[in-house]
Amino acid sequence: MPEYTAPLRDMRFVLHELLNVDEHYQKLNLEEVNAELIDAFLEEGARFASNELAPLNRSGDEEGCQFNEGEVTTPKGFKEAYQKYVEGGWPSLGGDVNYGGQGLPSTAGIAISEMIGTANWSWSMYPGLSNGAVATIESHGTDEQKATFLPKLISGEWTGTMCLTEPHCGSDLGILKSRAIPQADGSYKISGTKIFISAGEHDMAENIIHIVLARLPDAPAGTRGISLFIVPKFKVNADGTLGERNGVACGSIEEKMGIKASATCVMNFDDAEGYLIGPENRGLNCMFTFMNFARLGTAIQGVAHAQKGFEGGLRYARERLAMRALSGPKNPEGPADPIIVHPDVRRMLLTAKAFAEGGRALVYYISQLGDVVQKSTDEEERKQADELMAFLTPIAKAFLTEAGLEAANHGVQIYGGHGFIREWGMEQNVRDARISTLYEGTTGIQALDLLGRKVLQTQGASLRNWTKIIHKFCQANAENDAVKEFVEPLAAYNKEWGEITTAIGMQAMQNVENVGAASVDYLMYSGYVTLAYFWAAMAATAQAQLDAGTSEEAFYKAKIATARFYFKRILPRTAGHKGGIEGGLDCLMELDEEHFAF
Amino acid sequence: MPEYTAPLRDMRFVLHELLNVDEHYQKLNLEEVNAELIDAFLEEGARFASNELAPLNRSGDEEGCQFNEGEVTTPKGFKEAYQKYVEGGWPSLGGDVNYGGQGLPSTAGIAISEMIGTANWSWSMYPGLSNGAVATIESHGTDEQKATFLPKLISGEWTGTMCLTEPHCGSDLGILKSRAIPQADGSYKISGTKIFISAGEHDMAENIIHIVLARLPDAPAGTRGISLFIVPKFKVNADGTLGERNGVACGSIEEKMGIKASATCVMNFDDAEGYLIGPENRGLNCMFTFMNFARLGTAIQGVAHAQKGFEGGLRYARERLAMRALSGPKNPEGPADPIIVHPDVRRMLLTAKAFAEGGRALVYYISQLGDVVQKSTDEEERKQADELMAFLTPIAKAFLTEAGLEAANHGVQIYGGHGFIREWGMEQNVRDARISTLYEGTTGIQALDLLGRKVLQTQGASLRNWTKIIHKFCQANAENDAVKEFVEPLAAYNKEWGEITTAIGMQAMQNVENVGAASVDYLMYSGYVTLAYFWAAMAATAQAQLDAGTSEEAFYKAKIATARFYFKRILPRTAGHKGGIEGGLDCLMELDEEHFAF
């Protein structure tokens, strides 16, 4: 049976020991949050995830969502779990205090998001999308819009969506066709078809607030002619009660490979009443608030599936008996040894563990940058954190989801043939993970964002912001013999990263298509080096605890051992990606389109 | 809609131009087969695969097999397609002429197996398993057993299975528990539970012949105490008619991630009448006939899923419009460019293409070695081919299935979010592919077989047999400027392969666990270099045709361009695997079992 045990010790290690959130909150003058509150959240969140959500994960997958005449029924138990979630006050953690939120920083909820997502990714998407809608309205809404929509979104009574994709366009939103016609009362009539709308329709909340991209009449073509609208499922009366049904309806739900308990809806807008949010034709810019939010959320999904692959694989590797260790029996009284004795099984387990724990550190770190962006009163500090966050987000989204998918596959592989059978939960983990490299911008799109927009368009400045941090860490630990084994190679890779970037930049000046040729290998390279930094930093933190004397020696030694594994067995993959980049563009473009197949 | 167009031109290229099967048949004095017959098979097989099987692929996945009181119903159309297959005489291609077979060599049917498998892998498993049962009885059966079972297995009236796995053991057959009690009449009573039995029960044939591993009373423990038995579903009367039902029944079928139209059965043997095949306690050795057969069959599965990912991805990449090429519009009159203009989409397409076509060459080459083993009258030549086949089989099985899974995932990725939706068929391709790295020996098991048994136990002799062939090719083409770009790096990798092997061998003498630590990276390294040889050889063959003058210039140039892509963008991955091997054992073994998680 798939279960979920939240890795609370590791979460506390990252939040308290690696990232020092207590000190960080003090610096930001956030009196409402401290280590004690965080720990209480962790305990409570773990209980909710393990007791309420994990038991619905497999049944949700098997049952799926049902569609019937415009209505979507979520799997048994989903609605009740959502009620408990709302009653527990979880949706309001980060919300604006003026609209009923608790106003807590991003780091206060990041571990909750991870736990909920790992326990039941499909379920987590219903509240997850709402968080994005809240953030968008908080950032771009008028006071009236905020007053109308935020309180019930923040309380969780209503949920939200993000309506971007249309049948003919996803990555390329510039060609979207949905139309918005201005009305005399200041509202708009929205018409068009949106697809892949997660939580577009369901039975868990009384209203659904859609955030919709559409074009005004005579808007310029392309991405500069797109505006953003709020379109509620039920119109909202002046007194806040629900009014008549709006002209938006779910036309069908998709049959998918995974996340089957998450309703993926075709939404038909037919003269639906909508309200412009943000400036005309600047919708895509406003939507970036939502998209960055969603991208970090999807990075969490990478951690979630890696963690689940690791936990499931570990449970089986300890129990399943097969073969003797090559060096002789380790379980002589049994018929065979537990498979965890075999080096290759350990390689798979440690890979999943290194991705989960390293990914956790990266995601929580970005969340900490988010705190600064959101809460700091120092303009320059906010700007720096924002730039760093923008640089790290595509790495976290794409690299961690690729890593999560790999780790989920290791989870299956450790089970052998049993991994392919539903009852163990490992195959569902792969199916659920598979979407994560696709939605919220594919790996290819993230890679272009990273290399093209973030790195090359800033002449490398955004990369240097980050490599400088790594460089400072290496310098600070240069004399620390205990972590030399990590710091030395990290410093070398950090330098190589810059060199590779310069080389691509030069080629891109000759022919810009070189950017696309290098992008995904470059992103993966960047991800491996970035995770190496977090592993080195975690090893240094653990070593400091050991040096100081601790009763948790085994925990800190395991952290260092996992760092060692990462540096010795995972980081060398960078050589393959470097080689791929050097392989260049020409061999990709040589074949005419009609000569790919005969 | 997923369709299937057999890559006939490429199949002919491999069979006729690369492998020269016509000359090969003449050398083996096989008068019954020639290029003309092969081509007729290709045309006919492609028609059958495309017209009869491909249309049942998605419906078979959605419907799955039904289990009801011991009976298994296959999806709609499966039975009828099987009838046509039998009527077409396909099952008998390779069978012994003394029992109604056509006695054709392995290469005569290899492309048929690929086409059938690519069109509908689930369906292909029903006749596929029969082929293995036939091979086992042909090799190890008594004349009476052959006379009783072969004619109807070869005609396809009956099908066969392979019953190895038990609930507590798969990879480690040494601990299997099924029992065989000798009876006065020379037969045995077989009891035990077998799981994961493909085609163990179904409605497509009137009898099912199980090949079963079980222990005799007082048999030695471990793998040397296992015997092999024939256990028919219905006993066979002396006159060949079906007798009473035997004591074997399907207890349930598994719910799986993919290959849902293939019945994966729990088979309960309860004093079932069985007949010893081969010597007592030598069952595992006899079973190797079957297993090598199944491993090559699974290697074909890797090619099949790579081909399907490539074909599906190509279709979409030509049609789907998104974004402009970074260097400017390529389809200025349309709203966006077809995504095949983007270098990263091409990278994914070419990766799938390089795996499919390179894998095809490797698999067909092994099949050609099989012809020699089966048909040559020269003992030494047979021995050499057999050794080479034994060396290449784990590489083909494990590397090509890993590559096939990767390519299937590229197929999904090219479709973006649409790839996750059932209707395009790409997600089914991933789900179906996922089993291929698990069954018939996981990638880890194949890697131990390759590095431990094949390479190190022969002191590297089996590797040298193969690197010598590569070396000779490089020498023969050393002066050929047109293929220098392939031959030079290939020669360098070929040398490095030996060096890496020697280094592992030395470490293994210190501590044998080093074998398990290096094995999977070593296997992947070996696979990339082996495929590089086939790509270099295909490029040289194509270049020779260009030099000689041809009306198919585009085809041959595409072959060379794909070789170039493989060498420049795929082969560099070896550096990552080399680095992984060098990362060594210690970092895998450092963590105590109880310290993997806290």
Side-chain angles (χ1 to χ4, degrees), chain A residues 412-572:
Chain A
V412 166
Q413 197 71 20
I414 291 166
Y415 281 71
H418 294 275
F420 196 66
I421 307 298
R422 293 186 81 152
E423 82 179 279
W424 300 93
M426 292 290 100
E427 64 87 33
Q428 184 191 343
N429 194 40
V430 170
R431 288 186 291 104
D432 288 350
R434 188 63 190 86
I435 188 61
S436 64
T437 71
L438 298 166
Y439 63 7
E440 310 307 344
T442 63
T443 299
I445 294 292
Q446 303 296 332
L448 283 178
D449 180 47
L450 173 70
L451 180 56
R453 188 176 320 191
K454 303 290 162 60
V455 174
L456 297 179
Q457 275 186 25
T458 65
Q459 269 83 46
S462 68
L463 171 64
R464 283 190 299 276
N465 286 343
W466 179 233
T467 53
K468 233 181 277 168
I469 291 172
I470 298 179
H471 180 68
K472 276 189 195 160
F473 167 82
C474 291
Q475 276 194 317
N477 288 277
E479 306 301 315
N480 184 346
D481 279 349
V483 292
K484 205 168 166 178
E485 62 181 306
F486 309 119
V487 169
E488 283 187 356
L490 176 62
Y493 278 111
N494 201 38
K495 186 160 166 284
E496 187 182 75
W497 192 1
E499 291 161 0
I500 289 172
T501 307
T502 306
I504 298 173
M506 307 271 276
Q507 288 166 340
M509 283 193 284
Q510 307 294 318
N511 180 352
V512 67
E513 297 286 4
N514 278 295
V515 176
S519 54
V520 168
D521 274 317
Y522 182 82
L523 183 135
M524 294 303 291
Y525 182 97
S526 304
Y528 284 117
V529 175
T530 296
L531 227 60
Y533 163 70
F534 284 101
W535 270 113
M538 290 195 285
T541 302
Q543 186 62 46
Q545 301 282 25
L546 287 170
D547 292 345
T550 168
S551 62
E552 295 183 295
E553 205 167 279
F555 173 80
Y556 294 112
K557 284 191 168 169
K559 198 49 95 176
I560 294 170
T562 309
R564 198 167 284 138
F565 165 79
Y566 183 85
F567 271 80
K568 289 204 168 260
R569 300 287 317 223
I570 301 295
L571 194 51

Side-chain angles (χ1 to χ4, degrees), chain A residues 159-464:
Chain A
T159 66
T161 76
M162 175 174 177
C163 299
L164 289 74
T165 302
E166 298 184 1
H168 68 294
C169 71
S171 301
D172 189 0
L173 292 170
I175 56 178
L176 73 77
K177 294 176 181 166
S178 292
R179 297 264 149 211
I181 314 293
Q183 304 298 305
D185 65 357
S187 72
Y188 295 79
K189 293 270 188 215
I190 314 285
S191 296
T193 301
K194 297 286 181 179
I195 64 168
F196 298 167
I197 309 309
S198 298
E201 180 57 54
H202 60 79
D203 55 2
M204 287 158 67
E206 61 180 8
N207 203 4
I208 300 172
I209 310 305
H210 304 287
I211 309 284
V212 185
L213 288 180
R215 287 186 183 284
L216 293 170
D218 309 318
T223 55
R224 285 156 196 218
I226 299 174
S227 303
L228 193 61
F229 301 87
I230 301 176
V231 181
K233 174 179 169 184
F234 288 99
K235 294 179 195 172
V236 182
N237 298 324
D239 64 356
T241 58
L242 292 189
E244 62 174 345
R245 181 70 191 252
N246 204 349
V248 49
C250 177
S252 62
I253 59 174
E254 305 286 353
E255 285 190 76
K256 309 187 298 295
M257 183 183 190
I259 57 165
K260 293 188 180 193
S262 168
T264 304
C265 304
V266 174
M267 297 303 296
N268 297 315
F269 294 81
D270 187 11
D271 279 346
E273 188 170 299
Y275 320 105
L276 182 69
I277 179 167
E280 288 186 2
N281 299 330
R282 302 280 296 161
L284 218 50
N285 298 62
C286 298
M287 201 61 152
F288 271 119
T289 309
F290 206 143
M291 284 200 272
N292 281 327
F293 202 96
R295 283 175 183 183
L296 188 59
T298 313
I300 298 175
Q301 191 179 0
V303 176
H305 295 299
Q307 178 70 29
K308 197 169 241 165
F310 169 62
E311 281 188 19
L314 179 59
R315 208 176 309 130
Y316 195 73
R318 282 169 165 165
E319 286 167 9
R320 177 75 173 183
L321 307 180
M323 331 268 280
R324 294 298 183 184
L326 291 178
S327 51
K330 304 292 178 256
N331 173 36
E333 64 286 1
D337 290 340
I339 60 173
I340 199 170
V341 307
H342 304 308
D344 191 60
V345 171
R346 288 173 158 253
R347 181 186 61 82
M348 292 188 280
L349 282 172
L350 286 165
T351 302
K353 179 177 166 73
F355 286 151
E357 296 179 8
R360 180 172 299 124
L362 168 57
V363 166
Y364 289 16
Y365 176 82
I366 296 177
S367 172
Q368 192 176 32
L369 294 173
D371 288 357
V372 177
V373 173
Q374 217 183 345
K375 304 285 185 185
S376 172
T377 52
D378 178 337
E379 183 66 31
E380 180 56 28
E381 188 182 57
R382 265 169 41 206
K383 185 171 162 286
Q384 278 177 11
D386 196 41
E387 283 173 7
L388 199 51
M389 199 171 167
F391 171 77
L392 289 174
T393 296
I395 296 177
K397 195 281 177 186
F399 177 76
L400 292 183
T401 56
E402 295 285 346
L405 183 58
E406 180 189 326
N409 271 298
H410 288 315
V412 166
Q413 197 71 20
I414 291 166
Y415 281 71
H418 294 275
F420 196 66
I421 307 298
R422 293 186 81 152
E423 82 179 279
W424 300 93
M426 292 290 100
E427 64 87 33
Q428 184 191 343
N429 194 40
V430 170
R431 288 186 291 104
D432 288 350
R434 188 63 190 86
I435 188 61
S436 64
T437 71
L438 298 166
Y439 63 7
E440 310 307 344
T442 63
T443 299
I445 294 292
Q446 303 296 332
L448 283 178
D449 180 47
L450 173 70
L451 180 56
R453 188 176 320 191
K454 303 290 162 60
V455 174
L456 297 179
Q457 275 186 25
T458 65
Q459 269 83 46
S462 68
L463 171 64
R464 283 190 299 276

Side-chain angles (χ1 to χ4, degrees), chain A residues 9 167-172 175 195-196 254-259 310 314 318 320-323 325-327 330 335-336 340-341 343-344 346-347 349-350 353 405 409 412-413 416-418 420-422 427 430-431 434-435 437-438 442-445 448 511-513 515-517 519-521 554-555 558 561-562 564-565 568-569 572-573 575-576 579-581 583-585 587-598, chain B residues 9 167-172 175 195-196 254-259 310 314 318 320-323 325-327 330 335-336 340-341 343-344 346-347 349-350 353 405 409 412-413 416-418 420-422 427 430-431 434-435 437-438 442-445 448 511-513 515-517 519-521 554-555 558 561-562 564-565 568-569 572-573 575-576 579-581 583-585 587-598:
Chain A
R9 182 63 191 92
H168 68 294
C169 71
S171 301
D172 189 0
I175 56 178
I195 64 168
F196 298 167
E254 305 286 353
E255 285 190 76
K256 309 187 298 295
M257 183 183 190
I259 57 165
F310 169 62
L314 179 59
R318 282 169 165 165
R320 177 75 173 183
L321 307 180
M323 331 268 280
L326 291 178
S327 51
K330 304 292 178 256
I340 199 170
V341 307
D344 191 60
R346 288 173 158 253
R347 181 186 61 82
L349 282 172
L350 286 165
K353 179 177 166 73
L405 183 58
N409 271 298
V412 166
Q413 197 71 20
H418 294 275
F420 196 66
I421 307 298
R422 293 186 81 152
E427 64 87 33
V430 170
R431 288 186 291 104
R434 188 63 190 86
I435 188 61
T437 71
L438 298 166
T442 63
T443 299
I445 294 292
L448 283 178
N511 180 352
V512 67
E513 297 286 4
V515 176
S519 54
V520 168
D521 274 317
F555 173 80
T562 309
R564 198 167 284 138
F565 165 79
K568 289 204 168 260
R569 300 287 317 223
R573 295 181 186 183
I581 292 168
L585 171 68
C587 66
L588 299 176
M589 305 314 279
E590 190 177 345
L591 269 184
D592 284 344
E593 189 197 313
E594 66 268 33
H595 296 154
F596 270 72
F598 287 86
Chain B
R9 182 63 191 93
H168 69 293
C169 71
S171 300
D172 189 1
I175 57 178
I195 65 167
F196 298 167
E254 305 287 354
E255 284 189 77
K256 309 188 299 294
M257 181 183 192
I259 57 165
F310 169 63
L314 179 59
R318 283 171 165 164
R320 177 75 172 181
L321 306 180
M323 331 266 280
L326 292 178
S327 52
K330 303 290 178 260
I340 198 168
V341 307
D344 191 60
R346 288 174 159 253
R347 182 186 61 82
L349 281 173
L350 286 165
K353 179 176 166 72
L405 183 58
N409 272 298
V412 166
Q413 196 71 21
H418 294 274
F420 197 64
I421 308 298
R422 292 187 80 153
E427 63 87 32
V430 171
R431 289 188 289 102
R434 188 63 191 85
I435 187 62
T437 71
L438 298 165
T442 63
T443 299
I445 294 292
L448 283 178
N511 179 352
V512 67
E513 297 285 5
V515 176
S519 53
V520 168
D521 274 317
F555 174 81
T562 309
R564 198 167 284 140
F565 165 81
K568 290 210 168 251
R569 300 287 316 223
R573 296 181 185 184
I581 292 167
L585 171 69
C587 67
L588 299 175
M589 306 314 280
E590 190 176 346
L591 270 184
D592 284 344
E593 188 197 316
E594 67 266 33
H595 296 154
F596 269 72
F598 287 85

Side-chain angles (χ1 to χ4, degrees), chain B residues 162-314:
Chain B
M162 174 174 179
C163 300
L164 289 74
T165 303
E166 299 183 1
H168 69 293
C169 71
S171 300
D172 189 1
L173 292 170
I175 57 178
L176 73 77
K177 293 176 179 164
S178 292
R179 296 266 148 210
I181 313 294
Q183 304 298 305
D185 66 356
S187 73
Y188 295 79
K189 292 270 188 213
I190 315 285
S191 296
T193 300
K194 296 288 181 177
I195 65 167
F196 298 167
I197 308 309
S198 298
E201 180 58 55
H202 59 80
D203 56 2
M204 287 158 67
E206 61 180 6
N207 202 5
I208 300 172
I209 310 305
H210 305 288
I211 309 283
V212 185
L213 288 179
R215 285 185 184 286
L216 294 171
D218 310 319
T223 54
R224 285 160 195 214
I226 299 173
S227 303
L228 193 61
F229 300 88
I230 300 175
V231 180
K233 175 180 170 185
F234 288 98
K235 293 179 195 171
V236 182
N237 298 323
D239 64 357
T241 58
L242 292 188
E244 63 174 343
R245 180 73 190 249
N246 204 350
V248 49
C250 177
S252 61
I253 60 175
E254 305 287 354
E255 284 189 77
K256 309 188 299 294
M257 181 183 192
I259 57 165
K260 293 189 180 194
S262 168
T264 305
C265 303
V266 174
M267 298 303 297
N268 297 315
F269 294 82
D270 187 10
D271 280 346
E273 187 169 300
Y275 320 105
L276 182 69
I277 180 167
E280 288 186 3
N281 299 329
R282 302 279 295 161
L284 218 49
N285 298 61
C286 298
M287 202 60 152
F288 270 120
T289 308
F290 207 142
M291 285 200 273
N292 281 326
F293 202 95
R295 284 174 183 184
L296 188 59
T298 313
I300 297 174
Q301 191 179 359
V303 176
H305 295 299
Q307 177 71 30
K308 197 170 241 162
F310 169 63
E311 281 187 19
L314 179 59

Side-chain angles (χ1 to χ4, degrees), chain A residues 72-95:
Chain A
V72 171
T73 310
T74 55
K76 202 155 32 165
F78 269 49
K79 193 174 167 169
E80 292 74 14
Y82 185 74
Q83 274 315 313
K84 287 187 189 168
Y85 182 75
V86 170
E87 284 158 18
W90 294 111
S92 68
L93 279 193

Side-chain angles (χ1 to χ4, degrees), chain B residues 292 366 369 385-395 449-450 454 462:
Chain B
N292 281 326
I366 296 176
L369 293 174
D386 195 41
E387 283 172 8
L388 198 52
M389 199 171 166
F391 171 76
L392 289 174
T393 296
I395 296 177
D449 180 47
L450 173 70
K454 302 289 162 60
S462 68

